């Protein structure tokens, strides 16, 4: 299957995930799951969806893709609250507002949309820019900026820094500065925040060199290192390098890239998290992300012009192999091993591995869209229903997905049932009530 | 921040998140009109953000400001009988709105279990204390209801996983702590004999009418 075919199928699948308020569906994640609420999530899925559609519009020249990017932007405009926050922006923690980095990622999508519309001569780009600015000013600058530390907090109440989230916000600040032709968002907020991030980057031991810890709380560094999240720091560091011509930002980005490549397995997958500052350290390998690898590949490819050119062909293949007949992408491998970290390659996958999530598959979509040949149209989608054996709560089960619904059943019982387009699942059995 | 003192970006603890999700799934699956009755402003916010079209029958909450902050129109109570009512931590049973329930209708109730006193939201609570699950079920049976579903949220197994994780962290094993946290989430909802020993109990009661 060609990447253009994968993109066409993903587009068709994303259409099945739309409800009245935007792109919905269940979410599985390392931290928590959100299986009950299935309505629109105005979160980081909008970064990948808008970016992907804008890429398709540029590569194919077809206005239909711009229309879809604009429709996604309209979802965010309609879902913006009087506070400037977005409704249900917490992804795996939904249905709540104020999600980080999710609102910043949605802002980034809006700012890219506004910029693309303006460059193409459309005169209706301003509302998208204003919605993003409203969120950035009223939530991030007014509530999360810590003037003493000169970085953004993850919570208004707790001194904290989460580097990957801060870096997504920094990307939005750069996009804001570019759109409005002003230095302030970058000089006053983005660069100081990135200095705080780079100050945390590990130099030794070699096992962790280049890694960036997941977060700090009350100035204490949490010594957990998630390769996927470290990849999400790279684009902001590169933008700082371009802005300042200071090679130290590029060095930090390259070191992060080297860390990721060093921990890439022969199968192209990354461990979920590394821990500890010692030479040996510890590891929670599973679940290993698949659809999210789009973000990792995007980050590593952005390093190429700076001389960092690792072989990512195996990672690319791992992502491409994740395409489901429905058009969505499998989320991960090894959710069943999340607790004991004992993975069986011959056992059926956990249903959470197979469950395609709009806010993970968007990462695959955004990356794959860049591989569509310039000037070519996408082929017609070729999608089909999914019916796969799996494991749910340690027991054999069946996962089914059609254009209309997602169902998990075991032993004649329905454990989970979502009618696509609805804001709540119809059935969530106690076995899968695992927030 | 709204006048009622509710910050729309704040969340209750995991047990209440799970309980309100359970209510939302149950109410969403019902045909016909439904309603809810809650005891506090933050509980109204939890219901409103989940099911904005479900009206509140009885609440001391400052609803108008809340719905404005959430960017939602305040729902109106429809006349006629209801297929289901959600009750969150009722202080008495049957509730004042009980006569609105049609025969065969359902009450979806969130009540406190034996570990409820450890919930952060319960600390420093006002004078009206919610009924315990045990007391509530006793009165409900006398009033013509039967229990058709019973779940416990944050049962002892989840508590044990939490403390095992804290012990692992004290030993310098954050990786084990994270695994314990995942186990805690896996075992966060229970059915069977340990339901009463959970922090919250979710009950589905059917009215014989």
């Amino acid at each position: 299957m060609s990447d253009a075919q994968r993109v066409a199928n993903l587009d068709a699948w994303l259409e099945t995930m739309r409800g009245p308020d935007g792109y919905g569906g269940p979410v599985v994640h390392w931290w928590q799951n959100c299986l009950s609420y299935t309505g629109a999530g105005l979160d980081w899925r909008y970064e990948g969806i808008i970016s992907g559609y804008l890429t398709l519009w540029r590569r194919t020249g077809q206005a239909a893709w711009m229309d879809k990017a604009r429709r996604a932007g309209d979802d965010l405009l309609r879902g913006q609250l009087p506070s400037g926050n977005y409704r249900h922006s917490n992804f795996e923690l939904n249905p709540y507002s104020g999600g980080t980095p999710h609102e910043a990622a949605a802002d980034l999508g809006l700012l890219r949309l506004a910029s693309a519309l303006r460059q193409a001569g459309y005169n209706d780009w301003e509302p998208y820019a204003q919605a993003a600015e409203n969120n950035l000013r009223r939530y991030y600058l007014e509530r999360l900026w810590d003037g003493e530390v000169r970085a953004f907090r993850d919570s208004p109440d707790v001194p904290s820094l989460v580097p990957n989230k801060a870096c997504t916000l920094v990307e939005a600040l750069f996009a804001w500065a570019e759109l409005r032709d002003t230095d302030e968002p970058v000089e006053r907020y983005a660069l100081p925040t990135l200095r705080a991030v780079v100050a945390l980057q590990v130099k030794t031991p070699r096992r962790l060199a280049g890694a960036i810890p997941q977060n700090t709380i009350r100035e204490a560094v949490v010594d957990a290192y998630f390769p996927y999240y470290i990849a999400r720091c790279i684009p902001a560091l590169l933008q700082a390098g371009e802005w300042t011509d200071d090679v130290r930002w590029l060095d930090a980005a390259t070191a992060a890239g080297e860390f990721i490549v060093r921990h890439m397995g022969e199968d192209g997958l990354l461990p979920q998290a590394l821990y500890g500052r010692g030479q040996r350290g510890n590891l929670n390998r599973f679940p290993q992300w698949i659809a999210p690898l789009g973000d990792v590949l995007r980050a590593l490819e952005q390093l190429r012009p700076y001389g960092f050119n690792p072989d990512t062909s195996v990672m690319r293949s791992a992502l491409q192999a994740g395409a489901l007949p429905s058009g969505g992408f499998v989320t991960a491998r090894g959710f069943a091993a999340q607790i004991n970290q004992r993975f069986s390659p011959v056992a059926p996958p956990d249903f959470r591995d197979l469950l395609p999530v709009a806010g993970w598959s968007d990462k695959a979509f955004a990356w794959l869209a860049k591989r569509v040949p310039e000037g070519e149209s996408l082929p017609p989608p070729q999608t089909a229903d999914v019916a796969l054996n799996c494991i749910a709560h340690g027991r054999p089960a069946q996962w089914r997905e059609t254009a209309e619904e997602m169902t998990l059943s075991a032993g004649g019982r329905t454990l989970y049932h979502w009618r696509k387009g609805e804001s709540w699942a119809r059935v969530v059995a106690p076995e899968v009530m695992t927030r | 921040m709204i006048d009622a003192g509710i910050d729309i970006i704040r969340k209750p603890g995991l047990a209440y998140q799970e309980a309100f999700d359970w209510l939302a799934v149950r109410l969403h699956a019902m045909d016909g009109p439904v309603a809810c009755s809650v005891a506090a402003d933050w509980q109204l916010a939890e219901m409103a953000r989940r099911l904005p079209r479900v009206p509140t029958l009885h609440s001391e909450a400052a609803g108008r400001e809340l719905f404005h902050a959430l960017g939602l129109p305040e729902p109106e109570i429809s006349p006629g009988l209801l297929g289901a009512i959600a009750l969150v931590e009722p202080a008495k049973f049957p509730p004042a709105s009980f006569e609105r329930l049609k025969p065969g209708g359902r009450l979806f109730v969130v009540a406190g279990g034996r570990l409820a006193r450890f919930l952060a939201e319960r600390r420093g609570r006002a004078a009206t204390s919610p009924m315990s699950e045990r007391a509530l079920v006793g009165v409900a049976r006398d009033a013509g209801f039967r229990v058709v579903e019973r779940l416990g949220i944050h049962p002892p197994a989840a508590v044990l996983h939490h403390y095992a994780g804290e012990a692992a962290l004290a030993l310098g094993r954050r990786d084990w702590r994270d695994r314990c946290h995942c186990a805690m989430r896996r075992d966060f909802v229970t059915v069977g004999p340990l339901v009463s020993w959970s922090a919250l109990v979710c009950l589905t009661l059917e009215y014989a009418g």
Side-chain angles (χ1 to χ4, degrees):
Chain A
M1 189 194 299
S2 70
D3 282 335
Q5 186 67 61
R6 290 186 182 92
V7 175
N9 295 354
L10 260 168
D11 167 56
W13 178 79
L14 282 168
E15 287 301 310
T16 74
M17 300 298 282
R18 278 192 67 79
D21 300 317
Y23 296 92
V27 176
V28 294
H29 201 335
W30 169 256
W31 317 110
Q32 274 191 219
N33 303 312
C34 182
L35 298 172
S36 298
Y37 174 75
T38 48
L42 303 183
D43 50 41
W44 71 358
R45 74 192 69 182
Y46 278 83
E47 176 194 350
I49 288 170
I50 291 175
S51 299
Y53 282 128
L54 290 177
T55 302
L56 289 179
W57 168 68
R58 290 193 182 101
R59 295 188 86 79
T60 66
Q62 293 169 336
W65 303 121
M66 174 58 91
D67 292 344
K68 288 199 174 186
R70 195 196 295 264
R71 183 182 62 176
D74 291 339
D75 294 342
L76 293 169
L77 265 55
R78 274 199 318 276
Q80 190 162 41
L81 303 179
S83 64
N85 294 107
Y86 300 110
R87 180 174 293 128
H88 304 158
S89 63
N90 265 264
F91 194 46
E92 84 276 17
L93 308 177
N94 266 337
Y96 293 93
S97 296
T100 56
H102 301 290
E103 296 203 354
D107 293 335
L108 183 56
L110 284 173
L111 290 164
R112 285 178 179 158
L113 173 62
S115 179
L117 286 168
R118 189 175 69 169
Q119 282 171 16
Y122 292 96
N123 58 11
D124 59 346
W125 57 273
E126 186 68 41
Y128 303 110
Q130 284 179 2
E133 287 171 327
N134 187 20
N135 179 265
L136 289 167
R137 280 208 180 91
R138 297 187 60 197
Y139 185 43
Y140 285 101
L141 304 191
E142 288 180 17
R143 298 197 67 184
L144 296 183
W145 175 249
D146 187 333
E148 211 167 291
V149 179
R150 291 173 57 75
F152 288 94
R153 291 181 173 190
D154 194 43
S155 153
D157 305 326
V158 184
S160 50
L161 174 67
V162 183
N164 80 83
K165 296 182 177 186
C167 286
T168 299
L169 172 56
V170 163
E171 283 190 78
L173 293 170
F174 273 109
W176 184 13
E178 188 185 321
L179 187 72
R180 296 299 190 194
D181 195 22
T182 172
D183 291 352
E184 194 196 4
V186 173
E187 297 292 341
R188 189 165 169 194
Y189 299 106
L191 293 178
T193 298
L194 285 180
R195 283 186 199 106
V197 169
V198 170
L200 297 171
Q201 193 169 35
V202 178
K203 304 285 187 295
T204 58
R206 186 175 179 278
R207 171 179 166 267
L208 291 177
I212 299 169
Q214 181 61 14
N215 60 313
T216 67
I217 296 181
R218 297 186 178 87
E219 297 180 13
V221 176
V222 172
D223 58 347
Y225 306 88
F226 290 73
Y228 168 72
Y229 286 114
I230 292 165
R232 280 189 62 94
C233 296
I234 290 173
L237 293 168
L238 292 176
Q239 283 183 290
E242 291 293 329
W243 183 278
T244 61
D245 278 331
D246 186 339
V247 74
R248 283 175 294 185
W249 298 115
L250 306 179
D251 290 345
T254 305
E258 286 169 345
F259 167 79
I260 291 162
V261 171
R262 217 165 44 240
H263 290 280
M264 182 173 67
E266 289 178 0
D267 53 10
L269 303 185
L270 296 166
Q272 180 66 228
L274 293 86
Y275 299 83
R277 303 295 289 256
Q279 289 294 339
R280 288 188 57 203
N282 304 302
L283 186 70
N284 280 334
R285 185 178 301 279
F286 302 102
Q288 295 179 287
W289 298 130
I290 293 178
L293 288 176
D295 271 350
V296 181
L297 289 163
R298 171 176 66 104
L300 295 176
E301 287 169 5
Q302 285 184 16
L303 284 165
R304 278 197 189 138
Y306 305 99
F308 183 71
N309 199 10
D311 180 5
T312 56
S313 56
V314 192
M315 186 181 283
R316 285 203 304 270
S317 300
L319 173 60
Q320 288 160 332
L324 288 161
S326 65
F329 270 60
V330 298
T331 292
R333 184 181 74 168
F335 258 110
Q338 188 174 20
I339 295 169
N340 64 16
Q341 292 294 313
R342 287 188 206 131
F343 176 72
S344 166
V346 293
D350 191 282
F351 81 97
R352 291 166 293 179
D353 297 334
L354 300 175
L355 196 158
V357 175
W360 291 126
S361 286
D362 75 297
K363 306 344 180 198
F365 180 63
W367 179 75
L368 286 164
K370 292 188 174 168
R371 296 172 64 81
V372 172
E374 193 94 40
E376 283 188 22
S377 298
L378 291 190
Q382 294 176 347
T383 59
D385 295 349
V386 174
L388 293 166
N389 289 330
C390 62
I391 289 172
H393 214 72
R395 299 207 174 109
Q398 290 79 44
W399 173 256
R400 297 177 65 85
E401 183 190 8
T402 68
E404 290 81 31
E405 58 189 6
M406 290 181 176
T407 309
L408 176 70
S409 55
R413 273 180 72 217
T414 300
L415 301 182
Y416 183 77
H417 180 220
W418 173 50
R419 287 185 194 165
K420 290 187 176 183
E422 293 191 347
S423 292
W424 291 89
R426 292 258 158 182
V427 176
V428 186
E431 295 95 316
V432 290
M433 287 176 72
T434 53
R435 241 190 181 277
Chain B
M1 194 89 72
I2 64 170
D3 295 338
I6 294 170
D7 184 342
I8 60 158
I9 70 165
R10 289 195 203 292
K11 308 173 190 68
L14 198 58
Y16 280 103
Q17 290 179 40
E18 195 79 79
F20 279 99
D21 282 358
W22 175 80
L23 284 176
V25 169
R26 289 296 178 279
L27 289 177
H28 172 74
M30 297 294 296
D31 294 323
V34 296
C36 70
S37 177
V38 300
D41 289 356
W42 70 267
Q43 294 173 346
L44 179 60
E46 292 305 303
M47 287 305 300
R49 71 172 88 244
R50 283 172 172 77
L51 296 171
R53 292 192 189 90
V54 172
T56 310
L57 289 168
H58 170 73
S59 168
E60 294 167 7
R64 189 151 299 140
E65 292 94 340
L66 170 70
F67 277 89
H68 173 71
L70 293 173
L72 300 167
E74 198 171 354
E76 290 184 9
I77 300 168
S78 58
L81 294 175
L82 300 166
I85 300 174
L87 295 176
V88 182
E89 301 190 322
K92 63 177 182 178
F93 195 96
S97 47
F98 161 63
E99 69 280 359
R100 300 282 313 273
L101 199 63
K102 68 182 181 187
R106 294 195 160 190
L107 289 179
F108 300 115
V109 187
V110 175
R114 294 192 186 189
L115 299 184
R117 64 182 181 277
F118 296 110
L119 293 166
E121 292 83 354
R122 287 279 188 117
R123 292 183 204 131
R125 188 84 162 246
T128 52
S129 59
M131 292 177 83
S132 68
E133 182 232 354
R134 200 172 166 186
L136 194 146
V137 168
V139 182
R141 284 190 171 131
D142 291 345
F145 286 89
R146 70 183 185 97
V147 178
V148 294
E149 184 189 19
R150 208 165 151 261
L151 300 176
I153 296 181
H154 209 163
V159 175
L160 288 175
H161 289 310
H162 169 76
Y163 284 111
E166 294 307 300
L169 190 60
L171 293 170
R173 294 300 301 258
R174 186 175 292 279
D175 55 329
W176 290 351
R177 203 281 291 262
D178 281 2
R179 294 183 203 180
C180 289
H181 178 77
C182 296
M184 187 268 289
R185 280 172 36 217
R186 180 198 59 194
D187 296 339
F188 205 67
V189 175
T190 191
V191 292
L194 289 175
V195 168
S196 297
W197 287 92
S198 303
L200 292 174
V201 179
C202 297
L203 297 164
T204 301
L205 305 174
E206 191 175 73
Y207 184 46

